[in-house]
Amino acid sequence: QKEVEQNSGPLSVPEGAIASLNCTYSDRGSQSFFWYRQYSGKSPELIMFIYSNGDKEDGRFTAQLNKASQYVSLLIRDSQPSDSATYLCAVRRPTGTASKLTFGTGTRLQVTL
Amino acid sequence: KAGVTQTPRYLIKTRGQQVTLSCSPISGHRSVSWYQQTPGQGLQFLFEYFSETQRNKGNFPGRFSGRQFSNSRSEMNVSTLELGDSALYLCASSPSGYSNQPQHFGDGTRLSIL
């Protein structure tokens, strides 16, 4: 079982719709969760992070965390063609004073006109 | 505030050579982590440095090493390069590396091995 799992996609949504991206993780000790967006040929860009169960909203983005079910999701409202990218879920579990960020393989999102 | 700066952006090397990549973190950030990204394996953690000490290490062979200087700048070295080392190498920084601090990535160094 992979530590962080994402559906590779592509997930295709029409412009203006809600895109829902999901991520599950295996380590119950994980404490913080991050969503990064990566355009082709570019480096990952931080979109959202969440530490507590529930929802966290930032503009058109909402991160949802359910630690009991070990999943985290990202909702993108009013999807735009510029949202077309690969979305990486990352999970961090502290190990003593250090911490290691583990990434999923990413979900490719395509927003169609 | 300047972001994470990685140099060089592109490198072409041949098998058996060695290479050194450089990373300057965001000003004030003391934790630097390195990742390797390939199409097949995705983003994989190499190591993390804080206050010139390696705090965490991923599952990579000893050919991959790094260090951090007193100004928090970090270098990564790969010796005896293999074809499979062709990848995008990413550096990320955070203030102190605590679990609730997001990491911010540089633009990466794309390494190609011929």
Side-chain angles (χ1 to χ4, degrees):
Chain A
Q1 183 186 11
K2 290 183 180 179
E3 292 183 65
V4 181
E5 295 210 49
Q6 296 181 257
N7 188 318
S8 61
L11 173 66
S12 185
V13 299
E15 183 178 5
I18 296 175
S20 178
L21 305 162
N22 299 312
C23 170
T24 58
Y25 59 95
S26 60
D27 191 338
R28 286 194 173 274
S30 300
Q31 292 189 355
S32 46
F33 308 86
F34 306 86
W35 283 100
Y36 288 84
R37 176 176 63 197
Q38 187 172 27
Y39 293 111
S40 181
K42 301 293 185 182
S43 65
E45 172 193 10
L46 179 70
I47 297 177
M48 296 272 305
F49 54 93
I50 187 167
Y51 313 127
S52 305
N53 277 328
D55 295 359
K56 179 182 178 182
E57 187 175 317
D58 184 1
R60 296 187 296 113
F61 300 96
T62 298
Q64 299 175 318
L65 174 61
N66 184 323
K67 289 187 177 180
S69 300
Q70 294 176 245
Y71 84 79
V72 57
S73 62
L74 179 70
L75 301 178
I76 306 175
R77 290 181 298 280
D78 189 23
S79 295
Q80 301 297 310
S82 60
D83 294 326
S84 298
T86 296
Y87 289 79
L88 300 166
C89 171
V91 172
R92 183 181 270 167
R93 180 186 188 280
T95 54
T97 56
S99 62
K100 172 187 168 183
L101 203 58
T102 302
F103 283 84
T105 53
T107 297
R108 189 157 64 93
L109 173 66
Q110 291 179 337
V111 180
T112 58
L113 296 172
Chain B
K1 206 174 196 180
V4 178
T5 304
Q6 291 188 246
T7 56
R9 291 293 310 280
Y10 303 93
L11 265 178
I12 299 176
K13 293 286 186 179
T14 57
R15 283 182 298 173
Q17 289 186 308
Q18 75 165 18
V19 66
T20 299
L21 312 181
S22 179
C23 171
S24 292
I26 292 171
S27 178
H29 285 194
R30 297 169 62 195
S31 169
V32 174
S33 296
W34 288 90
Y35 297 86
Q36 180 197 64
Q37 187 174 33
T38 59
Q41 298 296 319
L43 262 162
Q44 292 188 290
F45 173 77
L46 280 157
F47 27 65
E48 182 213 3
Y49 285 88
F50 178 79
S51 291
E52 303 178 63
T53 301
Q54 187 181 88
R55 283 202 303 198
N56 209 348
K57 189 176 189 305
N59 296 324
F60 278 82
R63 301 185 297 107
F64 292 82
S65 63
R67 59 177 175 169
Q68 186 180 35
F69 302 96
S70 59
N71 62 357
S72 296
R73 189 177 71 86
S74 178
E75 288 183 346
M76 190 191 95
N77 185 76
V78 188
S79 62
T80 320
L81 287 165
E82 301 177 358
L83 292 176
D85 296 333
S86 293
L88 177 65
Y89 289 88
L90 292 159
C91 166
S93 76
S94 65
S96 58
Y98 290 137
S99 65
N100 61 349
Q101 294 175 345
Q103 294 182 352
H104 298 272
F105 284 87
D107 289 336
T109 294
R110 188 164 296 279
L111 176 63
S112 298
I113 311 301
L114 304 178

